[in-house]
Amino acid sequence: MSTSTSTSTTRVALVTGGSGGIGRAVVERLAADGFAVAVHYAGNQATAQALAAEIEAAGGQAIAVGGDVADEVAMAAVLDATEAAFGGIDVVVNTAGIMVLGPVATFDLADLDRMHRTNVRGAFVVAQQAARRVRPGGAIIGFSTSQTRLRHPGYAPYAASKAAVEAITLVLARELRGKDITVNAVAPGPTATPLFLDGKDEQTISTLAGLAPLERLGTPDDVAETVAFLAGPARWVNGQIIYVNGGIA
């Protein structure tokens, strides 16, 4: 379906990091729920464009939009493009993030700065733009991690960046009083994505899969289910961190 057929009754979602992993599952789920979706990418333009084309071929509405989440000018342009294509924005989901692991004592501070630029500054920029643009009745959904509770060795730099996301989420929900916009964050546990699996051997993956009482890793679809709830019917869930981890923590 062409984006030109979008109407004022169509709900519109922007998903950052939407070209792969959890982001892709979120895009596909929201499109299946009837959203017009802007698929954001930072570097993988071809993948984002292909996903948008798949959604359109299936009768949905989608565009691909690119930009650095930590660059406020680039992200303002992303939201401009989304509004121009679909007439407004109702939901912003910020799945974009990077993960670098290592112990505090030996962690490379250049890696810390790079990760926090995307995960902290990027989360703030996206939240700031969303707070200015999302229409009444909409939702802003950030991404944290269950590692803020699990506290596994090696995760301190990453968990610290996601703790910042939680702080932004909880305060912004209260700052938007009277706007009829919910602000929540999803905190996945071990989830079988390329980001999570990278650098882990089979034994480590098996151990992590066994931590949950449900005895498996999460899937991107598991997480997308929760995002869809927050993006749609969950109008009385606000200012919350939702742990999606099979009961690990």
Side-chain angles (χ1 to χ4, degrees):
M1 182 182 298
S2 169
T3 56
S4 64
T5 63
S6 178
T7 70
S8 59
T9 59
T10 301
R11 299 195 76 212
V12 179
L14 165 65
V15 181
T16 70
S19 62
I22 289 173
R24 181 185 182 95
V26 169
V27 166
E28 292 173 337
R29 175 55 192 267
L30 294 180
D33 285 350
F35 280 81
V37 185
V39 184
H40 165 270
Y41 62 90
N44 204 336
Q45 180 179 11
T47 301
Q49 288 178 332
L51 178 55
E54 289 176 19
I55 291 169
E56 293 235 325
Q61 301 176 68
I63 59 170
V65 287
D68 176 0
V69 290
D71 182 334
E72 66 274 22
V73 175
M75 290 313 296
V78 164
L79 275 77
D80 285 343
T82 304
E83 290 177 333
F86 301 125
I89 301 175
D90 300 288
V91 174
V92 173
V93 185
N94 184 32
T95 77
I98 61 175
M99 180 168 62
V100 184
L101 303 181
V104 171
T106 58
F107 200 79
D108 187 327
L109 294 182
D111 285 338
L112 182 73
D113 290 341
R114 178 170 62 90
M115 182 165 55
H116 282 213
R117 184 178 187 278
T118 296
N119 294 6
V120 180
R121 181 186 168 92
F124 193 93
V125 167
V126 172
Q128 183 178 70
Q129 290 294 325
R132 296 170 178 174
R133 309 282 195 106
V134 168
R135 294 186 285 205
I140 300 170
I141 303 166
F143 264 72
S144 180
T145 173
S146 290
Q147 284 298 336
T148 58
R149 288 185 175 182
L150 294 171
R151 307 180 186 106
H152 289 149
Y155 280 86
Y158 178 69
S161 74
K162 292 303 187 176
V165 172
E166 296 189 7
I168 293 166
T169 299
L170 299 177
V171 174
L172 182 58
R174 287 145 183 85
E175 290 182 347
L176 295 185
R177 172 181 290 273
K179 302 290 187 181
D180 191 24
I181 297 169
T182 62
V183 187
N184 297 287
V186 176
T191 305
T193 67
L195 175 69
F196 174 79
L197 297 173
D198 183 44
K200 294 183 175 67
D201 58 31
E202 287 299 322
Q203 181 177 353
T204 299
I205 293 169
S206 178
T207 298
L208 290 169
L211 292 177
L214 297 179
E215 296 187 327
R216 65 173 176 85
L217 293 177
T219 68
D221 287 344
D222 290 326
V223 181
E225 182 79 20
T226 300
V227 173
F229 174 63
L230 295 173
R235 300 308 302 163
W236 198 235
V237 180
N238 189 30
Q240 304 298 316
I241 312 302
I242 310 298
Y243 289 86
V244 185
N245 58 31
I248 293 177

